[in-house]
């Protein structure tokens, strides 16, 4: 199947055979795919490696046969994005999260749109922690794992702004017991639902919640980026 002008982001690439690259790409209409870029490591290659850098919006032409696609052409689309420092580390986290939670050849236009919007926010210098929480929320929603952020998981009653809750991935927010650790306030869940940035304490609580939920959907284990972001002191 020949695909032309497919909006794409390269998430990462590695050497493939002597002169080629194997790219992991997120496409708008075909989901996550592996793409072989033949000959791009040659000194005088027609298509330069710089045209296949991660985090840049590009349009790909490729032939899709079986598990891997073969690249035919690539060109930039839209404005280039430059991620540095915390934004770059956060972009690497986005990539690992998408790779771990999605399957290849599973079209997810909402995932592509959330990824694209998040990269733009990071490139524009928006606060890293809140930007990542929004992406995690939207990614889980697109994959069918939407968070229950407005109603109690057991009773179905509306969350109370001043209430204290523990979040159970399979059930949702449940009223916490007195002095229970690692809780989240109802107002912080409601803020996330309404796309309002909570205060610093609320962001920290939402970070713990998201890590718990993502770990659950990964089937246990951790993302490497969590360790890297923590060591780098990124306010995620």
């Amino acid at each position: 199947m020949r695909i032309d002008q497919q909006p794409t982001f390269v998430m990462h690439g590695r050497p493939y055979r002597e002169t080629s690259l194997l790219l992991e790409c997120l496409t708008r209409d075909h989901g996550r795919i592996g793409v072989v870029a033949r000959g791009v490591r040659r000194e005088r290659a027609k298509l330069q490696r710089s045209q296949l850098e991660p985090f840049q919006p590009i349009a790909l032409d490729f032939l899709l046969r079986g598990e891997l696609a073969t690249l035919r052409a690539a060109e930039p689309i839209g404005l280039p994005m430059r991620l540095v420092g915390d934004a770059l580390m956060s972009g690497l986290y986005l990539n690992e999260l998408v790779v771990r939670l999605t399957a290849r050849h599973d079209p997810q236009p909402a995932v592509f749109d959330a990824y694209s919007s998040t990269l733009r926010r990071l490139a524009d210098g928006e606060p890293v922690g809140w930007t990542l929480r929004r992406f995690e929320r939207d990614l889980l929603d697109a994959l069918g794992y939407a968070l229950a952020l407005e109603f109690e998981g057991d009773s179905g009653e509306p969350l109370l702004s001043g209430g204290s809750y523990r979040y159970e991935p399979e059930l949702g927010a449940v009223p916490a017991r007195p002095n229970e650790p690692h809780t989240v306030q109802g107002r912080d869940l409601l803020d996330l639902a309404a796309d309002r940035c909570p205060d610093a304490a609320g962001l920290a609580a939402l970070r713990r919640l998201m890590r718990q939920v993502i770990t659950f959907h990964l089937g246990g284990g951790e993302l490497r980026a969590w360790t890297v972001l923590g060591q780098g002191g990124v306010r995620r």
Side-chain angles (χ1 to χ4, degrees):
M1 181 168 55
R2 175 172 168 168
I3 309 297
D4 291 329
Q5 292 294 294
Q6 178 62 205
T8 301
F9 287 96
V10 174
M11 293 191 289
H12 62 79
R14 61 180 175 84
Y16 182 73
R17 297 181 177 174
E18 292 186 1
T19 62
S20 303
L21 287 175
L22 180 58
L23 308 173
E24 192 71 27
C25 297
L26 181 64
T27 70
R28 185 189 62 194
D29 300 319
H30 299 272
R32 185 167 60 84
I33 62 173
V35 178
V36 177
R38 300 192 185 280
V40 297
R41 295 168 59 207
R42 293 194 185 104
E43 184 175 348
R44 297 184 180 180
K46 181 178 179 180
L47 181 64
Q48 299 298 312
R49 293 179 65 174
S50 60
Q51 296 174 261
L52 301 170
E53 290 294 317
F55 309 126
Q56 301 307 314
I58 56 177
L60 292 190
D61 297 348
F62 56 86
L63 293 174
L64 186 57
R65 296 194 188 101
E67 180 66 19
L68 294 177
T70 301
L71 181 66
R72 298 177 58 251
E75 62 182 57
I77 55 175
L79 297 174
M81 290 185 277
R82 184 167 182 261
L83 303 185
V84 297
D86 290 354
L88 175 59
M89 300 301 293
S90 298
L92 297 175
Y93 169 61
L94 300 187
N95 288 351
E96 186 179 5
L97 191 57
V98 169
V99 169
R100 291 287 300 275
L101 283 179
T102 65
R104 276 187 172 178
H105 304 286
D106 182 16
Q108 295 283 355
V111 172
F112 181 89
D113 290 343
Y115 181 88
S116 177
S117 297
T118 301
L119 289 183
R120 178 58 61 189
R121 291 181 182 123
L122 290 172
D124 289 345
E126 295 191 19
V128 167
W130 177 232
T131 299
L132 294 183
R133 299 298 79 78
R134 298 170 80 187
F135 176 74
E136 292 160 342
R137 176 200 62 198
D138 295 343
L139 175 64
L140 291 170
D141 184 38
L143 296 178
Y145 305 137
L147 298 170
L149 298 172
E150 298 177 281
F151 300 93
E152 293 182 5
D154 52 358
S155 69
E157 292 294 320
L159 294 185
L160 300 176
S161 179
S164 183
Y165 299 89
R166 70 177 182 276
Y167 197 92
E168 300 182 5
E170 291 185 287
L171 185 60
V174 177
R177 297 181 296 271
N179 301 317
E180 184 172 351
H182 307 307
T183 59
V184 60
Q185 297 300 301
R187 60 178 169 270
D188 300 325
L189 297 173
L190 294 170
D191 281 345
L192 184 59
D195 206 34
R196 294 188 301 262
C197 182
D199 60 20
L203 277 175
L206 291 176
R207 184 185 71 178
R208 291 192 300 268
L209 183 155
M210 288 297 193
R211 184 162 179 167
Q212 174 193 2
V213 172
I214 289 168
T215 298
F216 174 82
H217 290 300
L218 289 173
E222 293 195 346
L223 297 175
R224 288 175 294 178
W226 283 337
T227 300
V228 174
L229 288 170
Q231 290 175 344
V234 177
R235 291 199 161 194
R236 52 188 175 85

